[in-house]
Amino acid sequence: MNTTLVSELYEQIDAMPIVDIHTHVNWKAPTARHIGDILSYHYYTELVNSAAFREDPFPFDDPQQLTRDIVGSLHHIRHTVQYDWLMSISHEFLGIAPWEWTPENANAIMARSVEVMGSDSWFEELIAQAGIERVYLTNQYDDDLEGLDSSFFTPCLRIEPFVLDILRAQARERMGAVLGRPITTTNDVAALVEQTFRRFMAHGMGYAAISSPAGLRTFAVSDQDAQRILTRAIEGAELDDSDRRTWAAYAMARIADACRAHRRPFHLMIGVNRDVYAHGVPSGTDLFDSVNSMRGYDWLLNAYPDVQFPTAVLADTTGLELVAAAWIRHNVYPSGHWWYANQPTEIARELRRRLDTVPSTKLIGYFSDAYYLEFILPKFRMFKFELAAALAERMERSTIHPNMTSFSLDDALDLAYAMLVENPIQIVGPAH
Amino acid sequence: MNTTLVSELYEQIDAMPIVDIHTHVNWKAPTARHIGDILSYHYYTELVNSAAFREDPFPFDDPQQLTRDIVGSLHHIRHTVQYDWLMSISHEFLGIAPWEWTPENANAIMARSVEVMGSDSWFEELIAQAGIERVYLTNQYDDDLEGLDSSFFTPCLRIEPFVLDILRAQARERMGAVLGRPITTTNDVAALVEQTFRRFMAHGMGYAAISSPAGLRTFAVSDQDAQRILTRAIEGAELDDSDRRTWAAYAMARIADACRAHRRPFHLMIGVNRDVYAHGVPSGTDLFDSVNSMRGYDWLLNAYPDVQFPTAVLADTTGLELVAAAWIRHNVYPSGHWWYANQPTEIARELRRRLDTVPSTKLIGYFSDAYYLEFILPKFRMFKFELAAALAERMERSTIHPNMTSFSLDDALDLAYAMLVENPIQIVGPAH
Amino acid sequence: MNTTLVSELYEQIDAMPIVDIHTHVNWKAPTARHIGDILSYHYYTELVNSAAFREDPFPFDDPQQLTRDIVGSLHHIRHTVQYDWLMSISHEFLGIAPWEWTPENANAIMARSVEVMGSDSWFEELIAQAGIERVYLTNQYDDDLEGLDSSFFTPCLRIEPFVLDILRAQARERMGAVLGRPITTTNDVAALVEQTFRRFMAHGMGYAAISSPAGLRTFAVSDQDAQRILTRAIEGAELDDSDRRTWAAYAMARIADACRAHRRPFHLMIGVNRDVYAHGVPSGTDLFDSVNSMRGYDWLLNAYPDVQFPTAVLADTTGLELVAAAWIRHNVYPSGHWWYANQPTEIARELRRRLDTVPSTKLIGYFSDAYYLEFILPKFRMFKFELAAALAERMERSTIHPNMTSFSLDDALDLAYAMLVENPIQIVGPAH
């Protein structure tokens, strides 16, 4: 690694504004209140639970105790990237150095965090310090969006309720309450989707999104077939896997219809298996399946050539499939590095694959997946460092590669800016 | 990267002659006529279509316009390896520098290309300049081979018609016309295969080859079972997937029989999914499936221990399977880096795996898959650079590795020469 | 690569004692008698067979001839890591330099090896020179353990007979002979398992272990269902795949019961396909399937939260699944780098993934899988070199990474020591 060149590149990339196209930030409470909120992030609770299993749940209601518990176990994960994120938050925002993270200091760290994060101006200070320009949200169809500042936040509609949950009575009831009448027909579903899109559009909608299970397949399903399944669900009949798969394929197409009608992208996040680990912490029970491919999405991607599909994949085994899809399919855009693939080893590989073969205008560099705005900076830094390393390598190669002409610092920075700022705005920029 | 050492190695590897064991070159028109032919290569049309989708087809009949169209979109792919190939062609053969590739210069580039490529001596100049010693072709069973210069071109028989297409009436009719009688029995099929092999052998046949779909399986199938399926196909009966799979397994064995009888290798190219992308340019509609393994070939590889199987895989997920197969199976030879895996990230990984664990005499370094001879040089350069990088790394490691003795420059060059020249000739050298 | 730093790290890591948690060493004859034993290791016979196929078996009964045969073919594999292991053995233990490995010297090499390895003190000298502190064994349920020195050797129970073989009459007969009565009920199976665990515990048992086939799935199976299958097997009825899968799931749980009762770990080695290559040398006929996932183990890992599951995977495609499992599951421990994945390319990738995201206390660095103690040193050196390279890279990165504070030489060595010595003892330390 040419550390001088990587540092030079990193410094300039770090100065670029952050457009974060996927987070779980709550726009009504976007920042942490204290270090307990930060440490309640499942990346910490799950690692501590993994390193030193506890039968009892973490004391989420007692942030002081939670902080003491987590801090007391941090030595197990001091070499991880997740720990590095925490240290960046600590150092950058709280002015607390890594060596101060001792069990004895847990209360002092809490106190300092309340002091900083409890300030009325914290939100403004934080986004200024981190250079965050726009933050995309993850919203349910019935989320309250009144008062949302759409010059900064961009709501995005999570569609799992329509695709996966609707066959359960409880989910339908909640939907019926929003629609104003019971969900009994496919038209009712379409009406709720349309009503939801309109409401989101009024608040500068980003995109529709799903984190889909391994094995999901899309294919043409008639309204009649879908209605039959919905009716049977309403009647309380037992549905089998084939019914569920058929409904899911039907609903994916109806969402794509709405995306087409409202000219909004459909963000695919492919391949999570929910609720796999029986003894996990909250949000720490999901895994993925290495046996999964993008073939299940062929029908959808072909049937909606006028809809844009930014796509993230969870399994490393799907990485080259995504690259190949983005390479030839005009409506597939590789999007960030998701979850278990959101660490340096996978990022480094996927970055090089994408940079070498996919049009530069199609690459969405990164999203943080953050729950609090504080995490955006350290996560983007992790990505930006890998990007700087990849670009430095390319610059170095270009000096001796028989097929390449000079790849200059400016070329590298242009590419980084396209991936981090221009493309996100161009591809998933908010509705006006 | 030790750029000095990589450059030194590269320079010597670059000087080695090129034996290109798989191309799609047309021996009757092996070179491009002008830059329009070069730009019509699907690697450019598909990337431009991917970056900026066009409903209308490219003007393949109007090379001037095609050139203007592609040149106008090149800025989207300026960072890709495909662009680098183009720039090598431009610089090496046309004397046109990268900065001259502007829309304004499109006509001038065309004119210059006609001047160079239209010369009567272009073929000779090109192969001398690129150091191309032998080029393997991709031929259909009914291709005309009369007049082929077998001191330079080596015909290779594509067997998809026998394995996949023959169950369609139109394909059988074409075969019947070549055989001189309708294809009605498995004996007719064997007769056509034998007749074809004999014809190819007379022209210095290389090998039989298939690019097989994900999920293909080989197993023993009786002549009776195969005949039943063929008869039903002739009668116009509907065939199901099981029928098609059974026929494919049968036909693979019959081809292997012919390879055995004529002592020719059987080149496997595993895992393409054809016609997946509905809106693609010609030759730009195929993808692959990450869920695919080499297990389907176990029967074939075991049943024909006396047949050599050079093997390329499309999915990165099959890369280590291929390495393991070549490591223990005496008749499996890792062959090049194919299509979506033909880029630096995959090449670098597979190269290291192969170099570390597979006997050196079994490695076929590279093939270009080119449609025009002009592409052979830049594609081989891409590979040779990765090879130089891998060998330089090995030399550097050997100076401090506790298990290794010195891996010298000569050792590195010997290994490169084996992979690029000796092994290709030894394993798939043309029939005499 | 910073060769100075890597060397400095390697030197200190090399000085750490070796705790080898998985070998196939025979405790009654743990060292080779001569170089013929070393060269009979399937890593050499299979590579030589792969490079130059021989219809006839190797002359395993004539070590002199075997040595001549292998030495005569070593030039085909001189660039492989397997060759490098051999050269380390040769140089370190026999004082024979690589350049002396010529066919002419085969007899002299044999003579020298007899001189060294035939010495009465060879075992003591070898483990002193190699720094081997403890060696885990692979034992069948009926292996004789009387006289085993449990201060050095740790017996581990291979459970394939209970899970896979027991449905065959011959396997049941052998089991019945050990149990003292025929195996006719699930209780008999449980009794034999319990008797076996007790006997192993008396000799400082390490763990129960299985190398499981691709596609194995665990799920709850009732005693009644299992008994039905066992009864049908005893009656000689034909069993289908579903029966075999159900029995395997049942037996996996019964082994986990015994692990729970005796507080012993259950070592999973996931994904081998046995007897795939029909023309292979002994132990050189197995491969793996890239299409395989850890999902089949979800039930087992959830149902036995109090059992520790060190886990190795054979397919590279399962690597990130293992990392993710170890990241959130408290009872999954990534264990070494197995077989076809036991080479630098896979080790380098998996190491970085694991170091970046899994608690440091959960990482079992390496095991040798050796058949003779002589192989332990070169194999551990291969791993230790990759570990030194990964840690050096991390140290270098930490100097410029925006999220990292200094990762010092001491930090690196602490991590290495945890992976190589502390964790193995902590996680799979022998029973007392």
Side-chain angles (χ1 to χ4, degrees):
Chain A
M1 176 176 281
N2 182 331
T3 54
T4 309
L5 182 56
V6 172
S7 293
E8 184 179 354
L9 272 163
Y10 173 76
E11 205 172 306
Q12 298 215 40
I13 294 172
D14 188 42
M16 294 176 187
I18 289 176
V19 178
D20 191 347
I21 71 128
H22 174 60
T23 76
H24 292 266
V25 164
N26 173 357
W27 66 270
K28 293 183 175 177
T31 60
R33 293 163 301 176
H34 45 61
I35 200 67
D37 279 349
I38 298 293
L39 294 175
S40 71
Y41 192 28
H42 68 85
Y43 280 79
Y44 302 108
T45 52
E46 72 196 6
L47 278 170
V48 165
N49 183 63
S50 171
F53 182 56
R54 37 190 301 154
E55 299 274 356
D56 300 326
F58 282 99
F60 290 107
D61 294 341
D62 181 349
Q64 290 270 13
Q65 186 57 45
L66 178 75
T67 299
R68 284 191 295 271
D69 284 7
I70 301 285
V71 173
S73 289
L74 281 179
H75 58 284
H76 294 310
I77 65 165
R78 208 149 44 196
H79 60 294
T80 62
V81 292
Q82 299 95 326
Y83 177 85
D84 291 337
W85 303 339
L86 179 63
M87 289 305 110
S88 265
I89 290 172
S90 170
H91 179 261
E92 293 291 333
F93 301 140
L94 307 180
I96 299 171
W99 60 264
E100 297 182 84
W101 278 77
T102 61
E104 296 70 34
N105 282 345
N107 289 351
I109 293 170
M110 171 58 80
R112 171 64 183 152
S113 73
V114 169
E115 187 185 341
V116 170
M117 295 168 169
S119 151
D120 284 346
S121 55
W122 176 231
F123 170 83
E124 297 298 343
E125 287 170 32
L126 169 60
I127 65 173
Q129 187 176 345
I132 305 171
E133 208 159 70
R134 180 169 288 281
V135 169
Y136 288 61
L137 310 174
T138 296
N139 300 100
Q140 296 303 313
Y141 65 92
D142 56 356
D143 271 6
D144 178 19
L145 303 178
E146 286 313 310
L148 178 146
D149 174 6
S150 61
S151 74
F152 184 77
F153 290 118
T154 300
C156 298
L157 175 63
R158 224 31 197 262
I159 62 150
E160 282 92 329
F162 303 107
V163 176
L164 305 173
D165 307 339
I166 197 171
L167 299 180
R168 294 204 310 267
Q170 201 179 359
R172 277 194 310 281
E173 271 163 38
R174 184 173 144 195
M175 289 181 176
V178 170
L179 181 62
R181 63 174 191 267
I183 302 283
T184 58
T185 69
T186 57
N187 281 341
D188 294 331
V189 179
L192 179 56
V193 169
E194 175 60 20
Q195 169 184 317
T196 305
F197 264 74
R198 285 195 187 168
R199 197 164 65 84
F200 274 63
M201 289 298 285
H203 293 282
M205 180 177 187
Y207 51 75
I210 187 169
S211 71
S212 56
L216 185 134
R217 296 191 72 83
T218 62
F219 48 93
V221 179
S222 71
D223 288 330
Q224 291 83 338
D225 285 347
Q227 183 64 56
R228 243 188 309 271
I229 294 167
L230 181 61
T231 300
R232 293 185 50 230
I234 292 167
E235 293 170 354
E238 187 96 358
L239 299 179
D240 62 17
D241 276 359
S242 165
D243 293 329
R244 291 178 201 289
R245 278 198 295 266
T246 302
W247 177 268
Y250 177 77
M252 290 290 285
R254 298 297 72 76
I255 298 296
D257 287 342
C259 288
R260 167 181 282 165
H262 294 279
R263 299 178 174 278
R264 287 290 89 203
F266 192 166
H267 197 292
L268 305 176
M269 305 173 78
I270 294 176
V272 63
N273 288 321
R274 298 286 180 192
D275 303 321
V276 172
Y277 173 36
H279 310 280
V281 301
S283 297
T285 61
D286 306 330
L287 286 164
F288 71 94
D289 193 327
S290 62
V291 181
N292 189 34
S293 93
M294 283 185 64
R295 295 232 62 193
Y297 299 83
D298 285 345
W299 180 85
L300 183 74
L301 300 172
N302 283 334
Y304 293 89
D306 48 342
V307 173
Q308 295 176 299
F309 293 90
T311 303
V313 293
L314 189 40
D316 63 309
T317 47
T318 329
L320 188 60
E321 267 196 309
L322 175 56
V323 164
W327 167 342
I328 72 167
R329 287 185 182 277
H330 69 280
N331 58 346
V332 171
Y333 302 82
S335 179
H337 305 272
W338 187 33
W339 207 334
Y340 297 111
N342 184 23
Q343 27 86 3
T345 303
E346 292 359 285
I347 292 173
R349 182 174 71 169
E350 300 307 332
L351 253 181
R352 283 163 179 75
R353 284 173 165 169
R354 294 177 193 179
L355 288 173
D356 279 341
T357 63
V358 178
S360 58
T361 41
K362 298 187 70 184
L363 302 172
I364 297 178
Y366 193 67
F367 56 77
S368 75
D369 220 355
Y371 282 68
Y372 293 106
L373 292 177
E374 285 84 351
F375 280 104
I376 293 176
L377 182 64
K379 287 187 163 194
F380 265 83
R381 283 184 168 179
M382 177 179 72
F383 173 76
K384 286 174 168 179
F385 187 81
E386 298 307 323
L387 181 58
L391 294 171
E393 189 184 293
R394 175 175 286 253
M395 287 174 63
E396 187 173 72
R397 288 185 147 227
S398 81
T399 62
I400 56 166
H401 197 291
N403 286 342
M404 289 174 82
T405 50
S406 159
F407 184 76
S408 70
L409 190 71
D410 283 348
D411 292 333
L413 294 173
D414 285 350
L415 199 45
Y417 194 77
M419 293 170 70
L420 288 164
V421 184
E422 286 174 349
N423 296 350
I425 295 293
Q426 184 65 30
I427 299 165
V428 297
H432 297 296
Chain B
M1 176 176 280
N2 183 331
T3 53
T4 309
L5 182 56
V6 172
S7 293
E8 184 179 353
L9 273 162
Y10 173 77
E11 203 171 309
Q12 299 215 38
I13 294 173
D14 188 42
M16 294 175 187
I18 289 177
V19 177
D20 190 346
I21 71 128
H22 174 61
T23 76
H24 291 267
V25 164
N26 174 357
W27 67 270
K28 293 184 175 177
T31 60
R33 292 163 301 175
H34 45 60
I35 200 69
D37 280 348
I38 298 293
L39 295 175
S40 71
Y41 192 28
H42 69 84
Y43 279 80
Y44 302 107
T45 52
E46 75 196 4
L47 278 170
V48 165
N49 182 63
S50 172
F53 181 57
R54 40 189 299 153
E55 299 274 356
D56 300 325
F58 281 98
F60 289 107
D61 295 340
D62 181 350
Q64 290 269 14
Q65 186 57 45
L66 178 76
T67 299
R68 282 191 297 271
D69 283 7
I70 302 284
V71 173
S73 288
L74 280 179
H75 58 283
H76 294 308
I77 65 165
R78 209 151 43 197
H79 60 294
T80 62
V81 292
Q82 298 95 328
Y83 176 86
D84 292 338
W85 303 339
L86 180 63
M87 289 305 110
S88 265
I89 290 172
S90 171
H91 179 262
E92 294 291 333
F93 302 139
L94 307 180
I96 299 172
W99 60 264
E100 298 182 83
W101 278 77
T102 62
E104 297 70 33
N105 283 345
N107 290 350
I109 294 171
M110 171 58 81
R112 171 66 182 149
S113 73
V114 169
E115 187 186 342
V116 170
M117 296 168 169
S119 150
D120 284 346
S121 55
W122 176 231
F123 170 83
E124 297 298 341
E125 286 171 32
L126 168 60
I127 65 172
Q129 186 176 346
I132 306 171
E133 206 159 73
R134 179 169 290 282
V135 169
Y136 287 60
L137 309 174
T138 296
N139 300 98
Q140 297 303 314
Y141 65 91
D142 55 356
D143 272 6
D144 177 20
L145 303 178
E146 286 313 309
L148 179 146
D149 174 7
S150 61
S151 74
F152 184 76
F153 290 118
T154 300
C156 298
L157 175 65
R158 225 27 198 265
I159 62 151
E160 282 92 331
F162 302 107
V163 177
L164 305 173
D165 306 339
I166 196 170
L167 299 179
R168 294 203 311 267
Q170 200 180 0
R172 276 194 311 280
E173 271 162 39
R174 184 173 145 195
M175 289 180 175
V178 171
L179 182 61
R181 63 175 190 266
I183 302 283
T184 58
T185 68
T186 56
N187 281 341
D188 295 330
V189 179
L192 179 56
V193 169
E194 175 60 19
Q195 168 184 319
T196 305
F197 264 73
R198 285 195 188 169
R199 198 165 63 86
F200 274 63
M201 290 297 286
H203 293 282
M205 181 178 188
Y207 51 75
I210 187 170
S211 71
S212 57
L216 184 135
R217 297 190 73 83
T218 60
F219 47 92
V221 179
S222 70
D223 288 330
Q224 291 84 339
D225 285 347
Q227 182 64 57
R228 244 188 308 272
I229 293 168
L230 182 60
T231 301
R232 293 185 51 230
I234 291 168
E235 294 169 354
E238 188 95 359
L239 299 179
D240 63 16
D241 276 358
S242 165
D243 293 329
R244 290 178 201 290
R245 278 198 295 268
T246 303
W247 177 267
Y250 177 77
M252 290 290 284
R254 296 299 71 77
I255 299 295
D257 286 341
C259 288
R260 167 181 282 165
H262 294 278
R263 300 180 174 277
R264 287 290 86 204
F266 192 166
H267 196 292
L268 305 175
M269 306 174 78
I270 294 176
V272 64
N273 287 322
R274 299 286 179 190
D275 302 323
V276 172
Y277 172 37
H279 310 280
V281 300
S283 298
T285 61
D286 306 329
L287 286 164
F288 70 94
D289 193 328
S290 63
V291 180
N292 189 34
S293 92
M294 283 185 63
R295 295 231 64 194
Y297 300 83
D298 286 344
W299 180 85
L300 184 74
L301 300 172
N302 284 333
Y304 293 89
D306 47 343
V307 173
Q308 295 176 300
F309 293 90
T311 304
V313 294
L314 190 40
D316 64 309
T317 47
T318 328
L320 188 60
E321 267 195 308
L322 175 56
V323 164
W327 168 341
I328 71 167
R329 286 186 182 276
H330 69 280
N331 58 346
V332 171
Y333 303 81
S335 178
H337 305 272
W338 187 32
W339 207 333
Y340 297 111
N342 184 22
Q343 27 86 5
T345 303
E346 292 359 283
I347 292 173
R349 182 174 70 170
E350 299 308 330
L351 253 181
R352 283 161 179 76
R353 284 172 164 169
R354 295 177 192 178
L355 288 173
D356 280 340
T357 64
V358 178
S360 59
T361 41
K362 298 187 70 184
L363 302 172
I364 296 178
Y366 193 67
F367 55 77
S368 75
D369 220 356
Y371 282 69
Y372 292 107
L373 293 177
E374 284 84 351
F375 280 104
I376 293 176
L377 181 65
K379 288 187 163 194
F380 265 82
R381 282 184 168 179
M382 177 180 71
F383 173 77
K384 286 174 169 179
F385 187 81
E386 297 308 322
L387 181 58
L391 293 171
E393 189 184 293
R394 175 175 285 253
M395 286 174 65
E396 188 173 71
R397 288 186 146 225
S398 81
T399 63
I400 57 167
H401 197 292
N403 285 342
M404 289 174 83
T405 51
S406 159
F407 184 76
S408 69
L409 189 71
D410 282 348
D411 292 333
L413 294 173
D414 284 351
L415 199 43
Y417 194 76
M419 293 171 69
L420 288 164
V421 183
E422 286 173 349
N423 296 349
I425 295 292
Q426 184 65 31
I427 299 165
V428 296
H432 297 297
Chain C
M1 176 175 282
N2 183 331
T3 53
T4 310
L5 182 56
V6 172
S7 293
E8 183 178 356
L9 272 162
Y10 173 76
E11 204 172 307
Q12 298 214 40
I13 294 172
D14 188 42
M16 294 177 188
I18 288 176
V19 178
D20 190 346
I21 72 129
H22 174 62
T23 75
H24 291 268
V25 163
N26 173 357
W27 67 269
K28 293 183 174 177
T31 60
R33 293 164 300 175
H34 45 61
I35 200 69
D37 279 348
I38 297 293
L39 295 176
S40 71
Y41 191 27
H42 68 85
Y43 280 79
Y44 302 108
T45 51
E46 73 197 4
L47 278 170
V48 165
N49 183 63
S50 171
F53 182 57
R54 39 189 298 153
E55 299 274 355
D56 300 325
F58 282 98
F60 290 107
D61 294 341
D62 180 350
Q64 291 268 15
Q65 185 57 45
L66 178 75
T67 300
R68 282 191 297 270
D69 283 6
I70 302 283
V71 173
S73 289
L74 281 178
H75 57 284
H76 294 310
I77 65 165
R78 208 151 43 196
H79 60 293
T80 63
V81 293
Q82 299 96 328
Y83 176 85
D84 291 337
W85 304 339
L86 179 63
M87 289 304 109
S88 266
I89 290 172
S90 170
H91 178 262
E92 293 292 331
F93 301 140
L94 307 180
I96 299 172
W99 60 264
E100 298 182 83
W101 278 78
T102 61
E104 296 70 32
N105 282 345
N107 289 350
I109 293 170
M110 170 58 81
R112 171 65 182 150
S113 73
V114 169
E115 187 186 342
V116 170
M117 295 167 169
S119 149
D120 284 347
S121 55
W122 175 232
F123 170 83
E124 297 298 343
E125 287 170 31
L126 168 60
I127 66 173
Q129 185 176 346
I132 305 170
E133 206 159 72
R134 179 169 288 281
V135 169
Y136 287 60
L137 310 174
T138 295
N139 301 99
Q140 298 302 314
Y141 65 92
D142 55 356
D143 271 6
D144 177 20
L145 302 178
E146 286 313 310
L148 178 146
D149 174 6
S150 60
S151 75
F152 184 78
F153 290 118
T154 301
C156 298
L157 175 64
R158 226 27 199 264
I159 61 149
E160 282 92 331
F162 302 107
V163 177
L164 304 173
D165 306 339
I166 196 170
L167 299 179
R168 294 204 310 269
Q170 200 180 359
R172 277 194 311 280
E173 270 162 38
R174 184 173 144 194
M175 289 181 176
V178 171
L179 181 62
R181 63 174 190 267
I183 302 283
T184 59
T185 69
T186 57
N187 281 342
D188 294 331
V189 179
L192 179 56
V193 169
E194 175 61 20
Q195 168 184 318
T196 305
F197 264 73
R198 284 194 188 168
R199 196 164 63 84
F200 274 64
M201 290 298 285
H203 293 282
M205 180 178 187
Y207 51 74
I210 187 170
S211 71
S212 56
L216 185 136
R217 296 192 72 84
T218 61
F219 48 92
V221 178
S222 70
D223 289 330
Q224 292 83 339
D225 285 346
Q227 183 64 57
R228 243 188 308 272
I229 293 167
L230 182 60
T231 301
R232 293 185 50 231
I234 291 168
E235 293 169 354
E238 188 95 359
L239 299 180
D240 63 17
D241 276 0
S242 166
D243 293 328
R244 291 178 201 289
R245 278 197 294 267
T246 302
W247 177 267
Y250 177 77
M252 290 290 285
R254 297 297 71 77
I255 298 296
D257 286 341
C259 288
R260 167 181 281 163
H262 294 278
R263 301 178 175 276
R264 288 289 87 203
F266 191 167
H267 197 292
L268 305 175
M269 305 173 78
I270 294 176
V272 64
N273 287 322
R274 298 287 179 191
D275 303 322
V276 172
Y277 173 36
H279 310 280
V281 300
S283 297
T285 61
D286 306 330
L287 286 163
F288 70 95
D289 193 328
S290 63
V291 180
N292 189 34
S293 93
M294 284 185 63
R295 296 232 61 193
Y297 300 83
D298 286 344
W299 180 85
L300 183 74
L301 301 172
N302 283 334
Y304 293 89
D306 48 342
V307 173
Q308 295 176 299
F309 293 91
T311 303
V313 293
L314 189 40
D316 63 309
T317 47
T318 328
L320 188 60
E321 268 197 308
L322 175 57
V323 164
W327 167 341
I328 72 167
R329 287 185 181 277
H330 69 280
N331 58 347
V332 171
Y333 303 81
S335 179
H337 305 272
W338 187 33
W339 207 332
Y340 297 111
N342 184 23
Q343 27 86 4
T345 303
E346 293 359 284
I347 292 173
R349 182 173 72 169
E350 300 308 331
L351 253 181
R352 281 162 180 76
R353 285 173 164 168
R354 294 177 192 178
L355 288 172
D356 279 340
T357 64
V358 178
S360 59
T361 42
K362 298 187 70 183
L363 302 172
I364 296 178
Y366 192 67
F367 56 77
S368 75
D369 220 356
Y371 282 68
Y372 293 106
L373 293 177
E374 284 84 351
F375 279 103
I376 294 177
L377 182 65
K379 288 187 163 195
F380 265 83
R381 282 184 168 180
M382 176 179 70
F383 173 75
K384 287 174 168 180
F385 187 82
E386 297 306 322
L387 181 57
L391 293 170
E393 188 184 294
R394 175 175 286 253
M395 287 174 64
E396 186 173 72
R397 288 185 147 226
S398 80
T399 62
I400 56 166
H401 197 291
N403 285 343
M404 290 175 83
T405 51
S406 158
F407 184 76
S408 70
L409 190 71
D410 282 349
D411 292 333
L413 294 173
D414 284 351
L415 199 44
Y417 194 77
M419 293 171 70
L420 288 165
V421 182
E422 286 173 349
N423 296 349
I425 295 292
Q426 185 64 31
I427 298 165
V428 297
H432 297 297

